[in-house]
Amino acid sequence: MKTKGFIFDLDGVIVDTAKYHFLAWKNLANSLGFDFTEIQNEQLKGVSRVESLKKILAWGNTTVSDEKFQELMALKNTEYLEFINKMDDSEILPDVPRVLDYLIEIKQGVSLGSASKNARTILEKVHLLSKFKTIVDGNDVSKAKPDPEVFLNAAKSLNIKPEDCVVFEDSVAGIQAANTAHMVSIGIGSKDVLHEADYIFNDFTEISTEFINKIINN
Ligand code: BG6
Ligand code: MG
């Protein structure tokens, strides 16, 4: 069997932290006197913390000083971490461990490619840190998705060519990043949102070992 690189996004793919990001951002926006919708929130998925705050402030027609900007970033993360600290294995999305264990068993490269600076903390909380051969997260990149930097770095860390890598992503920005990196993109979520992906599944329960074997041997 060939060896390919399987790169997992974290938020929305391995764990449903999107709801915690949304709550923390929503509270922050509300404290500034405005609100934003779940549809707008879709545009924040996969997007770095800095870029997310820029978008939110623009939606609220609000400008702040650089100092205040940093303060708001810290506030959001403090509240987000309160949710994260309560997480445990029960928040791992269905069948993620099955797919991870299968890939490890058949000796494929397994890496994390996340925009989050909290990625290691979250993987530790849900006891999945040891499953990843390498981790590339928000601390290692300078360009946010849809730039392919995070996935290209993950491929490099696995010593596998980008064309031989497969990305699991729940965000539009992440699918675009994978496509730009010439990787196979697998959308986890709704077909309406992720139509640019090469393959789309509602969740990992729909991903069979036959499908994985087919992708590897392609
Ligand atoms: C991505 C999330 O994985 O990480 C975004 O989809 C989030 O919503 C980004 O803004 C950065 O995360 P963090 O944990 O560094 O604020
Ligand atoms: Mg995501």
Side-chain angles (χ1 to χ4, degrees), residues 9-13 45-46 145 169-171:
D9 174 46
L10 174 70
D11 296 311
V13 167
K45 289 187 181 169
K145 298 172 188 175
E169 254 294 343
D170 71 311
S171 74

Side-chain angles (χ1 to χ4, degrees), residues 54-169:
K54 283 185 193 164
K55 279 180 195 275
I56 291 166
L57 291 174
W59 292 333
N61 288 316
T62 304
T63 47
V64 296
S65 66
D66 288 353
E67 199 188 339
K68 181 78 179 170
F69 190 96
Q70 295 306 325
E71 196 185 298
L72 293 174
M73 294 251 291
L75 261 174
K76 186 268 176 175
N77 202 49
T78 303
E79 187 177 0
Y80 179 65
L81 285 176
E82 281 172 23
F83 293 118
I84 298 310
N85 283 328
K86 292 184 202 127
M87 286 180 84
D88 61 24
D89 309 23
S90 67
E91 296 210 37
I92 300 171
L93 289 167
D95 269 11
V96 169
R98 175 183 62 81
V99 172
L100 281 171
D101 288 340
Y102 180 63
L103 292 171
I104 293 165
E105 184 195 321
I106 60 171
K107 304 204 166 21
Q108 299 299 303
V110 177
S111 180
L112 190 87
S114 167
S116 174
K117 293 188 173 178
N118 298 303
R120 279 173 196 273
T121 309
I122 295 169
L123 288 177
E124 267 169 24
K125 291 298 291 183
V126 301
H127 303 108
L128 285 180
L129 190 59
S130 65
K131 306 277 183 195
F132 294 88
K133 189 168 177 203
T134 62
I135 289 177
V136 180
D137 67 18
N139 300 295
D140 308 314
V141 292
S142 56
K143 291 177 232 137
K145 298 172 188 175
D147 189 282
E149 185 185 13
V150 62
F151 296 143
L152 291 173
N153 284 0
K156 207 171 188 182
S157 70
L158 290 171
N159 208 10
I160 295 177
K161 287 188 291 200
E163 310 88 89
D164 288 330
C165 288
V166 179
V167 171
F168 296 105
E169 254 294 343

Side-chain angles (χ1 to χ4, degrees), residues 168-199:
F168 296 105
E169 254 294 343
D170 71 311
S171 74
V172 177
I175 293 293
Q176 290 169 343
N179 290 343
T180 305
H182 303 292
M183 299 178 175
V184 174
S185 57
I186 303 185
I188 303 294
S190 143
K191 286 197 164 59
D192 298 338
V193 180
L194 303 174
H195 51 84
E196 289 172 64
D198 294 321
Y199 302 91

